[in-house]
Amino acid sequence: DIVMTQSPLSLPVTPGEPASMSCKSSQSLLYSNGYNYLDWYVQKPGQSPQLLIYLGSNRASGVPDRFSGSGSGTDFTLKISRVEAEDVGVYYCMQVLQTHKTFGGGTKVEIK
Amino acid sequence: EVQLVESGGGLVQPGGSLRLSCAPSGFTFSDYEMNWVRQAPGKGLEWVSYISSSGRTIYYADSVKGRFTISRDNAKYSLFLQMNSLRAEDTAVYYCAREGRWPPNFDLWGQGTLVTVSS
């Protein structure tokens, strides 16, 4: 199975400031069709996970444009341009290239 | 309203069985592939199982293969996870998640149902 590694484990942020987190995969997630099979999800406190970004860089419906995904192959980044209080939660990356999907361990975003 | 609602969780002894259900609404169930994902207390997300829209293709995580069985009834708008030979490490909140054929992502999640395996 593909191993997904996220960093940092915890990310204290100041509202209004940018934030960035990393996700690395043990194998390339770039498929022959040119797409990176990597999604980002956020789990806010007490809630179910929800889709943020799919195929590496595409925002899901309703996701604010302060969220952006980038990267290719084995290295990916999720950025929040200006953090808001409602963005606290745990952010997970997940590879969807293989039939056995795997998640990263998560990055917990909290307000300083 | 487009939603998924899980049920069937509870307390079960080690070695016991439990059957989880997921009830979709607000969309055409047979158009979508489905997954089960679990989250142990205070831990991250773990993919458990996948079933294609027709039910003909199924995959399991190694941690549950041979013990869990995923199934669906498109006519009755239902998704199931039969869990046998339960272990303490199966204790988790179990989510059902909808997956579109393209793009491949889990675009809809249920609220989860808690399974506790303990004597």
Side-chain angles (χ1 to χ4, degrees):
Chain A
D1 290 0
I2 297 175
V3 177
M4 307 297 292
T5 304
Q6 290 186 244
S7 62
L9 205 60
S10 176
L11 184 58
V13 296
T14 301
E17 294 296 306
S20 177
M21 62 196 80
S22 169
C23 173
K24 297 183 187 296
S25 57
S26 61
Q27 301 175 36
S28 176
L29 302 182
L30 179 60
Y31 193 55
S32 55
N33 60 8
Y35 290 101
N36 284 282
Y37 280 50
L38 186 282
D39 299 334
W40 289 94
Y41 298 84
V42 61
Q43 187 174 31
K44 298 182 179 180
Q47 297 184 18
S48 303
Q50 59 190 82
L51 177 66
L52 267 181
I53 302 284
Y54 61 91
L55 295 175
S57 60
N58 298 275
R59 278 189 300 275
S61 176
V63 173
D65 60 8
R66 64 178 181 275
F67 290 92
S68 63
S70 63
S72 185
T74 62
D75 290 347
F76 299 89
T77 301
L78 178 68
K79 293 181 180 178
I80 310 174
S81 59
R82 294 173 306 279
V83 172
E84 298 188 3
E86 66 183 31
D87 298 334
V88 298
V90 182
Y91 290 75
Y92 296 94
C93 59
M94 181 182 80
Q95 65 82 17
V96 291
L97 181 65
Q98 291 186 342
T99 55
H100 285 208
K101 299 169 179 69
T102 45
F103 290 90
T107 291
K108 186 175 184 178
V109 171
E110 45 198 5
I111 300 297
K112 283 183 181 176
Chain B
E1 181 184 0
V2 177
Q3 63 178 357
L4 299 168
V5 178
E6 300 94 336
S7 61
L11 175 63
V12 60
Q13 291 187 339
S17 298
L18 213 54
R19 190 192 199 204
L20 305 184
S21 298
C22 172
S25 60
F27 63 96
T28 304
F29 182 51
S30 58
D31 285 347
Y32 290 87
E33 301 155 12
M34 297 296 296
N35 293 266
W36 287 97
V37 176
R38 68 184 180 183
Q39 185 171 37
K43 302 297 184 182
L45 301 171
E46 178 189 15
W47 171 81
V48 172
S49 184
Y50 159 95
I51 188 167
S52 64
S53 56
S54 66
R56 284 193 288 266
T57 302
I58 285 172
Y59 303 114
Y60 298 100
D62 290 345
S63 57
V64 306
K65 195 168 186 178
R67 302 187 298 123
F68 289 13
T69 302
I70 191 172
S71 62
R72 66 190 295 163
D73 186 332
N74 286 342
K76 294 184 178 179
Y77 268 59
S78 296
L79 173 72
F80 304 102
L81 186 67
Q82 176 67 42
M83 304 186 296
N84 298 331
S85 303
L86 283 162
R87 307 166 180 166
E89 53 265 36
D90 294 320
T91 294
V93 173
Y94 285 74
Y95 298 98
C96 59
R98 185 180 78 173
E99 179 180 356
R101 194 160 296 149
W102 183 263
N105 58 58
F106 294 0
D107 67 343
L108 181 66
W109 296 65
Q111 86 288 349
T113 186
L114 176 61
V115 173
T116 303
V117 184
S118 174
S119 54

